[in-house]
Amino acid sequence: PVSMHRRRAQEDPSSGGKGGQKSVRPFRILTSAEISKRLHGLAGKYPQFSTLTSSQERYGLPAAGTAKDCDHDHQKGMNGGGAGTNGDVVEGCKNWILTIEDKDGRAKEGTASSKSLPEVLLSGALHGDERVGPTSVTEVAALLLDAAACESFPRRSPEAEDPALEMRMALDCRADLRDRGIDDDGRRWLARLVSTRRIVIVPTANALGYERKHRTEDQIDPNRDFPYDLEDWSLCMKTIAGRTINEIFREHVFQLSITFHAGMEAVAYEWGAPSYLKFTSPDDVAQSQIASGYSRYSGGFSSPSQRKATPPYQTGTMNDVVYFVRGGMEDWAYAASWDPDHVRPCRPTTFGGYPEEKTQYDDSTLRAFNMLVETSDQKTPREGSLGSTEELLKGGDAAGNGHVSRNIRLALLAIDLVEPYVSVTGVDGRTLSDDVVPGVDLTGRTCVETKAVRVAPGRTDVAVEYTAGGGFEVDDTVVLHAKWDDLPDSVDGTGHPLPEDLQRIGDKLFTAEVKRAKGTTRWHPSGSDLFRATVDASSYQPGDRVAVFAAAKLDQSWSTQPPEGGEVKPAGPPRSHVVRARTDPEWNMIQEETGKIVRGRYDWFSVPVTLVIGGENDGGADAATVELSSRLGDAESGSSSNERKANVTVGKQIPGGGGGGGASPPPAPGSESGSGSGSSAVPEGSEHVAVEKVPVIGGYLSKFKSLSVPVLAGIAAGVMAFAALMSLLLRQRRRWQLAGYRTGPVRAESEVWDTDFREENAFDDDDDGDRDGAGARKPYSDVPEESVELPERFTID
């Protein structure tokens, strides 16, 4: 039978729902004032994970507009609280910028990890009358921050001053997220994104246009305002929208970016400049695969307000599926650092001018995949077609899919794909509770305590299971293990070990038997794989702590040129950071002004799991494998849906707490009762929490004393059965409608993907010697246990 872990790996990372979702909220287009209010609310609630500022405050830019525009921005003190000038304005609209990062973890100021954190930009609207993007990216911000804050609790001692309170908050926020359709896997996935990336969100780059519902900023088109492939170099950086985006790029090294527009439905990429009208970009293989992934995960949908179903996004180059432009943000962000023949400094005269040196770029700043997402045919779609939070993170034809829903998912996928990662998910068939936890100080080898299992001594067959993400195709995997005492201090489990560090360990480092080295991630058309390895721990002694790392090599096809599809121009290898970072270990780009770095590598390492070798007091050779690092124990195992969760005030500050004030997780908007929040049990050694259980149904029964319990139960059962039937019929209707319209992208999947990749690596999951199912892989090969001899890519010349 298929193991629990494999089923979990095959499912969407955050399938949500599964019949447990209670709270569904329809989306609507937010106004400028509503976006501003929500951004301020998020920044105030989650200071440990977010910073809100404006281009007026951060970069000293003026505000476009008059005293009649954006009066909500004219209140004194509405400056976001970030660094820079005061930012107060009395006329015009502010250009708000929200940065999401783990300030106590990998983004901690002054650390090497903060300089190398992969960065993603989400731009909601360069054209102010194209309304889906700003609402979508604002919802993305709320979803990420809710999940990260929740996952950060309960903190481990001594960080947690009040363990009992934090345990109760952890249970409550998890229950609230489940009510909203975000299951435990989905919560952990979203929290990982916050903890391992820096996400910059600009809901309304063209703030004045969005306020006025105009395409332009005072009659100037911001998406013709960038210094790329222009004929008149005085015609760039004339808008505050363009300057805002320019300043943000100068401060970051984005690898992936999304710019949302509307007027058609497509995901498009380079080239979009007239000088390259008939040519393919050097990064076409990666761009086409990523665009295809965006289209597939965002999916299609139908709604009562539509006459016909909306298919998944078509994909292709901007020159092919949209139209070419001069001065577009997309090509500028991709090529302005390495294509000097099409870049010149800008010399605008608007707003008192703009320094020429602001449009002179180093070799690292502008190498991003800044994909154009045309969200909808109508620039302001009907409210009934925007979707809802129902099955929000489920891909394809999710029940609540719509224009906003699918672009939330698309943006989340962009954040995921910016960098590969590997996660050890289980040991000996036991699913591990934590992997990447936000808000944790990573100084020292914290993972030794936060991700550990005890195994019996003398074991030769410790089974380790792991998955890969942040890409599509897994070209190779390896599992390494050694005693922590034998590893150099530079290997701390939070970053990626360098080859020279591993080589220095010599014959004290071992490779495990990997069942199958190739496969795919959940974003590949073929679906997700769970990888397995067997660790021989027999040479370790009782009491030893053994670090087990899984590593993977992803998406090596990106370094190639398309076999068909036109001449590549400029000729040569891929130029983007996102491709070279995973295919070229010599890639080492440092931004001159900020010191931020993109370093290439082949192998992407997991947070290691620590095997603690047990002794006689732990049960000896017959002892079962036990997780030692669970923060919640059995507390998430599920409780009755007819019990109200504990009455705990969330959002309050934890005395002495870290993380920028230690803001607590929020209650679910509009949610009253918890679902599946679990018992009040806590891990051994923690203070016990007595959670009061208040019957919900009993309170309503008091109003109907004349009716018997069996009668009421029968009525309730009938109502629930009817609701379930209607839900099933509606979902089936959507699938029938979609079936007639899903024509796929402009570029067929067979042109984008190596369709033989999965078939060539087919495997036998039930060990019966046969290939299993469509796209299955070859039988496991018997790989001998190796020691000392490392893969060739680890060898130091």
Side-chain angles (χ1 to χ4, degrees):
V2 179
S3 72
M4 173 186 67
H5 295 302
R6 177 159 182 82
R7 287 198 304 271
R8 178 176 159 192
Q10 287 174 327
E11 292 166 357
D12 196 270
S14 39
S15 54
K18 293 186 181 179
Q21 183 168 356
K22 290 186 174 182
S23 173
V24 175
R25 174 172 59 89
F27 292 117
R28 61 180 181 81
I29 299 298
L30 301 175
T31 66
S32 292
E34 289 171 327
I35 290 173
S36 175
K37 183 177 180 179
R38 290 195 68 180
L39 294 179
H40 280 82
L42 291 170
K45 182 175 287 185
Y46 304 120
Q48 74 276 44
F49 297 118
S50 63
T51 302
L52 180 64
T53 187
S54 65
S55 60
Q56 288 69 39
E57 176 189 7
R58 183 75 176 172
Y59 309 118
L61 297 179
T66 69
K68 296 180 179 180
D69 299 304
C70 298
D71 58 356
H72 54 274
D73 286 341
H74 304 163
Q75 304 171 36
K76 189 172 181 59
M78 289 290 286
N79 58 7
T85 61
N86 180 272
D88 287 333
V89 298
V90 295
E91 60 181 31
C93 299
K94 288 194 170 187
N95 305 79
W96 293 109
I97 306 163
L98 182 72
T99 301
I100 297 176
E101 59 189 351
D102 188 352
K103 298 179 186 179
D104 286 338
R106 288 167 176 79
K108 191 170 185 177
E109 188 174 356
T111 62
S113 61
S114 179
K115 293 291 186 182
S116 60
L117 209 59
E119 298 183 312
V120 181
L121 173 68
L122 304 178
S123 171
L126 273 184
H127 291 152
D129 61 341
E130 298 166 2
R131 313 290 284 183
V132 170
T135 294
S136 299
V137 300
T138 302
E139 295 286 355
V140 167
L143 190 61
L144 289 168
L145 291 170
D146 284 353
C150 183
E151 184 66 13
S152 70
F153 287 95
R155 295 174 297 173
R156 301 177 189 273
S157 297
E159 288 83 5
E161 279 200 5
D162 191 340
L165 176 61
E166 292 200 11
M167 179 63 74
R168 296 170 73 184
M169 292 192 306
L171 297 178
D172 279 356
C173 71
R174 284 158 169 76
D176 285 335
L177 286 169
R178 291 188 200 106
D179 282 353
R180 294 156 57 185
I182 309 301
D183 66 12
D184 294 341
D185 285 347
R187 182 193 71 248
R188 295 186 190 103
W189 175 57
L190 295 169
R192 167 187 274 277
L193 299 184
V194 172
S195 190
T196 59
R197 282 104 169 92
R198 181 175 290 114
I199 306 152
V200 181
I201 298 177
V202 189
T204 54
N206 183 1
L208 178 62
Y210 193 78
E211 170 74 2
R212 294 178 176 177
K213 299 182 180 179
H214 291 174
R215 173 186 176 89
T216 63
E217 179 188 290
D218 264 345
Q219 308 304 314
I220 302 174
D221 189 334
N223 206 32
R224 308 295 184 272
D225 203 27
F226 292 88
Y228 191 80
D229 205 31
L230 290 173
E231 295 175 328
D232 184 346
W233 296 98
S234 67
L235 300 178
C236 56
M237 290 294 121
K238 297 170 66 178
T239 65
I240 298 302
R243 296 180 194 182
T244 294
I245 295 296
N246 186 64
E247 293 287 351
I248 292 171
F249 268 87
R250 290 179 61 86
E251 191 178 359
H252 298 277
V253 185
F254 296 115
Q255 296 187 46
L256 290 181
S257 174
I258 298 292
T259 175
F260 288 101
H261 287 260
M264 62 179 297
E265 296 180 5
V267 177
Y269 46 90
E270 281 64 41
W271 289 110
S275 293
Y276 294 122
L277 190 60
K278 298 181 179 180
F279 299 98
T280 300
S281 85
D283 289 274
D284 186 78
V285 171
Q287 289 175 321
S288 60
Q289 287 189 15
I290 291 174
S292 177
Y294 289 163
S295 174
R296 188 169 49 257
Y297 188 43
S298 56
F301 63 93
S302 63
S303 69
S305 65
Q306 296 177 288
R307 294 183 179 178
K308 65 177 183 178
T310 297
Y313 288 127
Q314 61 178 320
T315 65
T317 69
M318 288 174 282
N319 283 335
D320 285 343
V321 303
V322 189
Y323 48 79
F324 70 78
V325 301
R326 295 189 184 275
M329 175 188 172
E330 297 81 10
D331 287 357
W332 165 82
Y334 169 62
S337 276
W338 56 268
D339 189 16
D341 292 343
H342 294 90
V343 183
R344 298 286 188 279
C346 297
R347 297 183 295 273
T349 58
T350 57
F351 298 100
Y354 190 59
E356 283 192 28
E357 60 268 22
K358 295 283 191 177
T359 48
Q360 296 172 353
Y361 308 106
D362 66 13
D363 197 35
S364 66
T365 299
L366 296 167
R367 292 175 177 268
F369 283 178
N370 183 41
M371 290 199 181
L372 167 67
V373 177
E374 294 280 357
T375 61
S376 53
D377 292 332
Q378 294 178 312
K379 295 189 175 183
T380 306
R382 297 176 181 177
E383 195 162 291
S385 67
L386 300 178
S388 73
T389 58
E390 185 177 3
E391 297 184 335
L392 180 58
L393 299 184
K394 179 181 177 182
D397 57 348
N401 207 10
H403 291 299
V404 171
S405 311
R406 67 172 174 173
N407 284 295
I408 290 173
R409 288 197 301 279
L410 189 152
L412 291 173
L413 179 52
I415 299 168
D416 185 278
L417 290 175
V418 70
E419 184 176 272
Y421 58 90
V422 180
S423 176
V424 177
T425 59
V427 175
D428 287 339
R430 287 156 178 79
T431 303
L432 300 179
S433 302
D434 290 330
D435 187 31
V436 174
V437 177
V440 175
D441 185 348
L442 300 178
T443 304
R445 292 173 168 174
T446 56
C447 61
V448 176
E449 303 296 335
T450 61
K451 190 163 186 172
V453 297
R454 186 177 64 229
V455 299
R459 290 278 304 278
T460 62
D461 58 348
V462 179
V464 175
E465 296 182 329
Y466 56 102
T467 61
F472 297 97
E473 295 175 347
V474 181
D475 297 274
D476 191 19
T477 71
V478 64
V479 173
L480 308 174
H481 57 98
K483 289 199 309 182
W484 275 111
D485 290 344
D486 293 333
L487 294 174
D489 292 340
S490 57
V491 180
D492 60 7
T494 60
H496 298 284
L498 297 174
E500 53 264 35
D501 291 331
L502 299 177
Q503 200 72 23
R504 196 178 302 131
I505 305 167
D507 59 2
K508 296 179 180 180
L509 179 67
F510 297 87
T511 57
E513 176 188 340
V514 175
K515 296 294 185 181
R516 173 177 33 86
K518 286 190 175 184
T520 53
T521 77
R522 59 194 174 221
W523 307 123
H524 192 275
S526 301
S528 176
D529 284 323
L530 185 75
F531 298 92
R532 298 183 178 90
T534 301
V535 174
D536 183 351
S538 60
S539 63
Y540 300 117
Q541 302 302 310
D544 284 350
R545 296 189 174 195
V546 181
V548 179
F549 298 84
K553 185 178 180 182
L554 281 77
D555 298 322
Q556 296 306 293
S557 65
W558 289 6
S559 64
T560 64
Q561 302 292 356
E564 300 176 358
E567 180 184 352
V568 173
K569 189 174 180 180
R575 306 298 210 279
S576 67
H577 285 310
V578 73
V579 170
R580 299 295 285 272
R582 67 188 70 190
T583 63
D584 181 3
E586 302 301 319
W587 192 254
N588 191 35
M589 294 292 242
I590 302 176
Q591 191 178 48
E592 293 175 3
E593 290 189 18
T594 67
K596 292 181 177 178
I597 185 170
V598 178
R599 180 178 287 115
R601 60 172 52 251
Y602 283 140
D603 294 278
W604 303 86
F605 283 79
S606 70
V607 174
V609 60
T610 297
L611 304 183
V612 179
I613 309 301
E616 290 301 321
N617 293 336
D618 302 314
D622 297 327
T625 299
V626 177
E627 182 178 12
L628 303 176
S629 51
S630 174
R631 292 180 295 157
L632 293 177
D634 296 327
E636 287 188 283
S637 60
S639 65
S640 170
S641 61
N642 292 334
E643 293 176 327
R644 188 183 301 275
K645 64 180 181 291
N647 183 19
V648 176
T649 301
V650 295
K652 65 179 290 186
Q653 302 294 316
I654 303 297
S664 307
S671 178
E672 294 254 338
S673 62
S675 171
S677 59
S679 68
S680 60
V682 297
E684 182 180 353
S686 301
E687 183 177 344
H688 181 72
V689 182
V691 180
E692 181 184 2
K693 302 293 186 178
V694 182
V696 173
I697 290 181
Y700 293 102
L701 283 176
S702 63
K703 299 180 181 180
F704 304 98
K705 293 181 180 178
S706 60
L707 296 178
S708 65
V709 171
V711 172
L712 287 175
I715 294 173
V719 171
M720 292 175 65
F722 178 76
L725 177 61
M726 293 303 296
S727 176
L728 179 64
L729 290 174
L730 286 173
R731 292 186 192 185
Q732 187 60 45
R733 174 176 173 268
R734 289 188 181 97
R735 293 187 179 101
W736 287 333
Q737 289 177 315
L738 286 168
Y741 292 95
R742 285 194 173 177
T743 56
V746 167
R747 181 176 291 188
E749 295 250 325
S750 59
E751 298 179 69
V752 175
W753 300 99
D754 177 6
T755 54
D756 293 329
F757 184 90
R758 189 173 177 88
E759 186 65 22
E760 288 172 357
N761 297 286
F763 78 108
D764 178 23
D765 197 37
D766 52 12
D767 297 319
D768 62 1
D770 300 324
R771 294 188 179 211
D772 295 321
R777 275 181 223 68
K778 296 175 183 177
Y780 291 146
S781 59
D782 294 326
V783 181
E785 173 77 11
E786 299 177 82
S787 66
V788 185
E789 294 296 329
L790 299 177
E792 182 179 352
R793 59 186 178 278
F794 289 120
T795 303
I796 305 300
D797 295 330

